Amino acid sequence: MNNTTTDLNEEPEFLQRGSGKRYRYGSKLLLLSSALLCGVGASAQYSTPATPAPYNPIALAEVTGAPRTAVQAGQTNDRALSQNPYLGGVAAGKLSATPVQLSLNDAVAFGLKQNLAGVLATDAVTDARGQRWQALSELLPHVITDTGFGVHQVNVKAAFGLTIPGEPPIIGPFGYFDSRAYLTQSVFDWTSIERARSSQALLKSAEFSSKDARELIVLVIVSNYLLAIADQSEVESATSQRDTAKALFQQASDQKTAGLASTVDVLRSQVQLQSREQKLIVAQNNLAKQKLVLARAIGLPSGQKFEITTQIPYQELTPSGLDESIQSAYTDRADFQSQMNQVGSAELERKAASAERYPSLGAEADYGLSGVNPGSSHGTVDAAATLRIPIFQGGRVHGDVLRADASLTRERQRLEDLRARIDQEVRDAYLDLDAAAQEVSVEKSAVTLATRNLEQSRDRFTSGVTDNIEVVQAQDALAIASDAYIASLYSYNLSKISLARSTGVAESRFAEYVEGK
């Protein structure tokens, strides 16, 4: 899989090869509304995560080769990928010597619990909840206690300008004891009220951002799992091609022994065999490395081996109408709901800034015991109400209002941009789904034709009608067609999970979209 923590709303581009033609397909997301935002961060004003893409390392791709080539072409910035929280995980569990049987559902379940971006998103919600309590504290009672015991000595004349006949000029030393509880309470402060409401909107925004991070995690995990399946298919295809090349080499050797083939035919077959063995080595290495990527993203213990158990053949998906999907995306996309709450919070902050001009009313009281020592202390009480009326504050309120206006305008603009981006992503997903389905059909037919061509070329060589140049060319054609079919099937399955993400149902319906369940 791959992901991955950007502006979470950015998507990377890379190339993927297939049968000499170029196609564009997108798995829209991402990660990371800004994972991929650096995980997910909350500040005084909560903001969605922001980390460089890819949430979906298989986003907008052009088909130009095998899946592995496509991913490598798009993931050129190793540092950005290594820092992408959607590609990281918090390892859990114990290392097992027995390979784990890992299904797609298991991989997603592990990822939702242990993917680093999800953990950071949860922390961001906790941070936003802390900000909420900080804002509420301005409206709630504050009670503190203070107890002290001291020794005093007073110079009466110096302190009061008096000389008392018959009394010494210095009084003391004498003890003094005071134990007191203080209560302060805001009775009316419209600024604090609006800021408390704003913090509640920020908390909701953080919760929706956390949900959106889970959507992106599903996209990343499923994408990487699909890539592992594609790599596994590449290994199987390369193994089959190696075995075929081995049989053709043996056939050429037998033909030479029988005087029906030349030495160059044998050498040509041997070169072809070595080429297929090299391709198999590369395919096996790519599969092993992709498994490491997937294991890290879902938080498996380091070094844990596992086997891919879910196979996903071609399964046609018939989505609902385009307009209906676009409208449901606005309702179901957590990033859209998060941004709406960001706008609501900015509106309340604007009101809070304006309310700084309003009077505020507070109350404070204290009660305690005072005396020269605890045994001789007496109760005392003080209470007061305070009306604060701002008259002139040096332009501070005007400055706060200007900044709040700018913040509100910025959040509204982001909301409108997100609205347009969601519309584009859903439309792109529909186009990609249709194009990928057609591509699968074409490439499947190409494999059938290439297989028949190889069979006929072998028959012609066996009959001595031609040399094995034709056979080698037919082998290469079949290899290219097989790789293109694997890439097209991967592209189609990827377009399905991308559609689920673009409409906001990746977590709840990924199995239905990808596996047809």
Side-chain angles (χ1 to χ4, degrees):
M1 257 223 293
N2 82 55
N3 319 215
T4 214
T5 187
T6 110
D7 181 10
L8 279 175
N9 296 318
E10 298 179 1
E11 300 181 52
E13 295 193 5
F14 57 82
L15 300 177
Q16 188 158 336
R17 219 169 300 166
S19 181
K21 298 181 180 180
R22 285 182 173 275
Y23 300 89
R24 290 193 73 76
Y25 67 92
S27 81
K28 278 359 179 180
L29 97 143
L30 301 203
L31 268 220
L32 257 257
S33 329
S34 238
L36 276 170
L37 301 183
C38 53
V40 176
S43 56
Q45 179 171 1
Y46 177 81
S47 32
T48 46
T51 297
Y55 295 119
N56 168 16
I58 298 93
L60 300 175
E62 293 185 358
V63 181
T64 60
R68 171 56 50 185
T69 303
V71 172
Q72 289 176 339
Q75 298 180 352
T76 56
N77 190 334
D78 292 338
R79 168 171 288 186
L81 291 179
S82 67
Q83 295 176 349
N84 188 328
Y86 286 84
L87 294 179
V90 179
K94 296 182 179 180
L95 183 65
S96 171
T98 304
V100 174
Q101 301 300 302
L102 186 68
S103 68
L104 177 60
N105 287 342
D106 292 337
V108 171
F110 286 142
L112 289 174
K113 290 180 181 178
Q114 295 153 205
N115 185 270
L116 179 58
V119 175
L120 295 179
T122 301
D123 292 341
V125 173
T126 302
D127 184 73
R129 189 169 289 116
Q131 294 180 44
R132 164 71 171 158
W133 276 106
Q134 288 177 337
L136 282 176
S137 70
E138 298 299 320
L139 300 174
L140 298 176
H142 291 200
V143 179
I144 62 173
T145 63
D146 186 10
T147 299
F149 183 83
V151 176
H152 298 270
Q153 189 175 53
V154 180
N155 186 324
V156 177
K157 185 172 183 179
F160 305 105
L162 299 176
T163 299
I164 303 175
E167 295 294 334
I170 304 298
I171 299 177
F174 59 89
Y176 180 79
F177 169 80
D178 185 84
S179 180
R180 193 165 302 279
Y182 299 88
L183 167 68
T184 58
Q185 170 68 62
S186 173
V187 177
F188 174 81
D189 186 343
W190 195 246
T191 297
S192 297
I193 293 173
E194 294 289 21
R195 284 187 174 144
R197 295 173 61 194
S198 175
S199 68
Q200 178 62 31
L202 284 178
L203 175 58
K204 289 182 179 179
S205 176
E207 291 171 344
F208 278 116
S209 288
S210 179
K211 182 179 178 181
D212 185 58
R214 293 174 65 86
E215 288 278 303
L216 295 175
I217 289 169
V218 171
L219 177 64
V220 170
I221 301 301
V222 173
S223 298
N224 276 302
Y225 196 96
L226 291 173
L227 184 55
I229 293 176
D231 282 343
Q232 191 165 269
S233 298
E234 287 281 357
V235 170
E236 295 169 356
S237 175
T239 301
S240 176
Q241 293 168 28
R242 189 274 314 273
D243 293 343
T244 299
K246 186 180 295 186
L248 289 172
F249 171 66
Q250 185 61 48
Q251 182 182 20
S253 299
D254 294 342
Q255 292 281 79
K256 181 179 181 298
T257 301
L260 300 177
S262 64
T263 301
V264 70
D265 288 329
V266 177
L267 291 175
R268 191 181 293 119
S269 297
Q270 188 174 15
V271 170
Q272 185 73 353
L273 173 58
Q274 291 178 342
S275 174
R276 295 306 161 196
E277 287 177 339
Q278 180 185 21
K279 180 181 178 181
L280 176 58
I281 292 172
V282 172
Q284 290 172 334
N285 184 59
N286 288 335
L287 174 59
K289 291 171 67 176
Q290 178 56 30
K291 282 187 172 182
L292 292 177
V293 173
L294 179 58
R296 179 172 171 235
I298 63 179
L300 289 182
S302 298
Q304 177 63 61
K305 297 184 180 299
F306 64 91
E307 299 296 333
I308 296 293
T309 62
T310 301
Q311 297 302 318
I312 305 177
Y314 179 78
Q315 178 73 37
E316 185 176 1
L317 175 67
T318 304
S320 56
L322 175 60
D323 292 338
E324 180 183 347
S325 294
I326 291 175
Q327 293 306 314
S328 64
Y330 293 135
T331 302
D332 297 333
R333 285 273 295 247
D335 54 346
F336 189 75
Q337 299 300 319
S338 175
Q339 187 58 37
M340 288 182 65
N341 278 279
Q342 286 280 359
V343 172
S345 174
E347 290 174 343
L348 292 169
E349 281 291 336
R350 170 63 173 79
K351 293 180 180 179
S354 296
E356 291 177 11
R357 300 187 178 97
Y358 303 164
S360 62
L361 181 62
E364 56 186 50
D366 69 77
Y367 175 81
L369 300 175
S370 297
V372 296
N373 57 61
S376 62
S377 61
H378 298 279
T380 60
V381 61
D382 289 300
T386 303
L387 175 63
R388 178 177 177 273
I389 303 177
I391 297 175
F392 178 71
Q393 302 182 67
R396 183 178 64 84
V397 176
H398 180 63
D400 290 344
V401 170
L402 289 177
R403 296 190 63 188
D405 281 337
S407 177
L408 176 57
T409 300
R410 182 169 57 249
E411 297 303 334
R412 284 174 174 171
Q413 291 170 343
R414 287 176 175 171
L415 179 63
E416 290 309 309
D417 175 71
L418 180 57
R419 187 190 304 276
R421 184 166 61 82
I422 289 175
D423 180 273
Q424 179 189 349
E425 288 182 358
V426 176
R427 293 179 187 276
D428 282 351
Y430 269 74
L431 292 172
D432 292 338
L433 186 67
D434 182 62
Q438 296 181 49
E439 183 188 350
V440 170
S441 177
V442 171
E443 301 301 350
K444 184 176 182 180
S445 175
V447 170
T448 301
L449 294 174
T451 302
R452 291 172 57 188
N453 182 45
L454 177 59
E455 292 172 351
Q456 293 179 9
S457 297
R458 293 183 65 177
D459 292 341
R460 286 164 59 81
F461 176 64
T462 302
S463 301
V465 176
T466 183
D467 58 21
N468 68 347
I469 292 180
E470 182 179 324
V471 178
V472 171
Q473 291 175 338
Q475 269 187 284
D476 289 339
L478 178 57
I480 292 173
S482 297
D483 289 348
Y485 176 69
I486 293 172
S488 66
L489 184 58
Y490 169 74
S491 174
Y492 182 67
N493 286 328
L494 184 63
S495 67
K496 292 195 288 186
I497 188 60
S498 296
L499 176 60
R501 158 56 189 168
S502 67
T503 53
V505 295
E507 181 180 357
S508 59
R509 300 177 62 185
F510 73 90
E512 174 186 344
Y513 274 68
V514 177
E515 301 179 66
K517 293 183 179 179

